[in-house]
Amino acid sequence: MLSILGFATIILFMFLVMTNRMSAFVAIIVSPIIFAILGGYGMGLGPMMLEGIKLVAPTAVLLLFAVLYFGIMMNAGLFDPVSRKILQIAKGDPVKIVIGTAVLALLVALDGDGTTSYMIICSALLPIYKKIGINPLVLATIAVMSLGTISGMTPWGGAATRAISVLGLDATEYFKPIIPAILCGSAWIILTAYVMGRMERKRIGIIKIEKTIQEMKTNQEMAASIAEDQPVTSKLVWFNFLLTLTLMVALILGLAPLPVLFMVGFVIALSVNHPNLTEQKSVIKENASHAVPVVMLVLGAGVFTGILSETKMVNSMASDLLTIVPDSLGPFFTVIVALISLPLSFLMSNDAFFFGALPVLAHSASEYGISPMEIARAGVIGQPLHSMGPTSAPLWVLLELVRRDLGQFQRYALVPVTILSLMFIVFALITGAISIAW
């Protein structure tokens, strides 16, 4: 009975989200409440929901301050010098331009917001692509791969945040082991960019272009101002770079929990970049529009998880799912989850996959001695494919910017993005982010 209620909860949630009948935040709270009441758990719903919220509270804090922090960094033009240097070095060579696109896209994707990342990348580099004659689909493919890798797998990005919150994990424990795999994936993206650049160079050759440093600077300033409508200053670029570098080093060394690191980093960045009180209020208000919706989803995921866990629905579902997987394949369950995540991430919204399917997979994996932490890492491996799927909202902004339709883009990008996703499984296994339970 509990298993039926649990699967009905997930099916209802996925139906409501995928048919746009409810927002993910509303559906993720309404769905478990309905079936918990039907199962006779109505009187205990309050404590169950609070237990779930307690689990996800650190993740909600992390996400809030990480998004606010990188919002300030984007406003301050942290990556402007990188973009201008890329254009200086490239000098009309498609190989250098495409590699530069990968470097910039990987850096900008740290912001975690796909729409902002795509707008900055396209505004900075698309005019160069058009002037030289490079296929804009090259830019779109590299941008999607970068966003899926960085934003999709870092704990302040949307997908990993969902996985961490719904499974009640510690963000630092999740992140440190997957960093080598992310770095390997980033290197693979740069290698892919080199191959694509060589193909474009063979097609169009090296084009001599005239573009002054001031023109490039103006172009990048426009790019960084699109999302925030604020003037960009480069006076504090070095300070912001050192602050971000220090934050990343402290994160890797585990000097403090991630929520604390980003909270302190945000306070320092806000105080130095915007010392005026009125300006600080304005910056927080503008960047909060990116953070609040996802924080709401994380808290909603806590309610969802709390109800399914406390009623034992998820345990019952996991037991039933185990009967489907042959015992001989049990040790490979993490790899199976990673492979499953590829098509499911492409076809489903992140809300439907991470809040609906992943908890069941995680509880099933526990029967083979596989930790939820590894299932979370395996689950995010499909993010590059998700970023080019029809349920990825920022993708539609990207397609509009490069003036291509979904079919054209997917035909061009499907092979390299799929190869990247498969390579991520290899990288994750080699670096120990996921393992086989021999």
Side-chain angles (χ1 to χ4, degrees):
M1 179 63 180
L2 284 176
S3 182
I4 294 174
L5 290 173
F7 282 115
T9 299
I10 292 173
I11 291 170
L12 176 61
F13 167 71
M14 294 171 66
F15 172 77
L16 293 174
V17 170
M18 297 179 76
T19 58
N20 294 318
R21 281 174 167 76
M22 285 186 183
S23 68
F25 175 71
V26 175
I28 204 170
I29 294 176
V30 169
S31 301
I33 288 177
I34 290 175
F35 288 99
I37 292 173
L38 291 176
Y41 296 96
M43 297 301 295
L45 277 176
M48 292 179 187
M49 295 165 72
L50 281 177
E51 283 300 314
I53 291 173
K54 288 177 185 178
L55 282 175
V56 303
T59 301
V61 174
L62 162 65
L63 183 63
L64 173 63
F65 288 102
V67 172
L68 291 174
Y69 177 84
F70 282 111
I72 290 176
M73 292 298 106
M74 291 300 174
N75 281 355
L78 176 61
F79 304 118
D80 289 4
V82 177
S83 179
R84 292 197 297 271
K85 195 66 178 177
I86 288 169
L87 297 177
Q88 279 182 280
I89 294 173
K91 296 180 180 178
D93 184 351
V95 174
K96 295 177 181 178
I97 291 172
V98 179
I99 291 175
T101 301
V103 172
L104 181 62
L106 289 165
L107 291 173
V108 172
L110 284 168
D111 175 60
D113 180 73
T115 300
T116 302
S117 298
Y118 290 153
M119 292 173 74
I120 291 175
I121 295 164
C122 288
S123 297
L125 296 174
L126 192 56
I128 305 297
Y129 273 66
K130 291 180 177 178
K131 189 176 186 68
I132 294 178
I134 302 174
N135 188 347
L137 290 175
V138 173
L139 182 150
T141 301
I142 297 298
V144 160
M145 294 168 74
S146 301
L147 187 75
T149 298
I150 303 300
S151 178
M153 298 185 190
T154 52
W156 55 86
T161 297
R162 289 166 170 82
I164 292 168
S165 61
V166 80
L167 298 181
L169 307 176
D170 179 81
T172 305
E173 289 182 21
Y174 157 84
F175 190 43
K176 288 176 66 176
I178 204 175
I179 290 175
I182 292 175
L183 294 175
C184 289
S186 300
W188 186 267
I189 291 171
I190 293 173
L191 176 62
T192 303
Y194 171 77
V195 174
M196 289 183 168
R198 287 291 299 265
M199 294 170 64
E200 290 299 295
R201 180 201 278 172
K202 184 177 180 180
R203 183 175 66 86
I204 62 177
I206 298 177
I207 310 298
K208 299 296 182 182
I209 58 172
E210 297 295 329
K211 195 168 186 68
T212 65
I213 302 299
Q214 183 60 39
E215 286 174 329
M216 290 186 284
K217 181 178 179 181
T218 301
N219 189 47
Q220 181 61 16
E221 287 176 348
M222 290 173 60
S225 300
I226 287 177
E228 305 298 339
D229 193 28
Q230 292 231 352
V232 176
T233 175
S234 59
K235 295 178 181 178
L236 297 171
V237 167
W238 278 109
F239 171 82
N240 289 327
F241 170 75
L242 293 174
L243 176 61
T244 303
L245 181 63
T246 302
L247 189 62
M248 293 298 111
V249 171
L251 182 155
I252 293 170
L253 295 178
L255 299 182
L258 280 180
V260 174
L261 287 175
F262 273 103
M263 185 183 293
V264 173
F266 167 71
V267 169
I268 296 172
L270 182 67
S271 301
V272 174
N273 286 273
H274 305 282
N276 180 273
L277 181 59
T278 302
E279 193 177 339
Q280 287 181 2
K281 291 179 179 179
S282 176
V283 168
I284 292 173
K285 183 178 180 180
E286 289 172 0
N287 288 292
S289 63
H290 299 297
V292 170
V294 186
V295 172
M296 288 172 60
L297 270 177
V298 170
L299 296 175
V303 171
F304 185 89
T305 304
I307 293 175
L308 264 66
S309 298
E310 295 298 314
T311 59
K312 308 299 181 185
M313 290 184 196
V314 74
N315 293 340
S316 182
M317 288 187 290
S319 297
D320 289 347
L321 187 62
L322 283 174
T323 62
I324 302 174
V325 180
D327 291 338
S328 59
L329 294 180
F332 299 91
F333 201 83
T334 308
V335 177
I336 292 172
V337 171
L339 290 171
I340 288 174
S341 77
L342 304 188
L344 291 186
S345 295
F346 179 79
L347 296 170
M348 296 167 62
S349 69
N350 276 338
D351 297 321
F353 176 69
F354 286 102
F355 296 148
L358 197 67
V360 179
L361 294 171
H363 277 267
S364 299
S366 65
E367 297 295 323
Y368 299 107
I370 299 170
S371 71
M373 196 72 72
E374 289 201 18
I375 297 302
R377 297 186 196 119
V380 301
I381 285 176
Q383 281 307 291
L385 275 167
H386 170 76
S387 296
M388 65 170 291
T391 61
S392 175
L395 176 63
W396 299 101
V397 176
L398 177 63
L399 295 177
E400 177 64 25
L401 290 169
V402 299
R403 296 291 190 270
R404 296 294 188 275
D405 61 41
L406 182 64
Q408 288 176 303
F409 170 69
Q410 289 185 340
R411 284 192 296 272
Y412 186 89
L414 184 59
V415 172
V417 176
T418 301
I419 292 173
L420 171 66
S421 299
L422 292 173
M423 289 304 300
F424 254 115
I425 298 177
V426 176
F427 296 147
L429 284 169
I430 292 173
T431 59
I434 64 175
S435 62
I436 297 173
W438 295 108

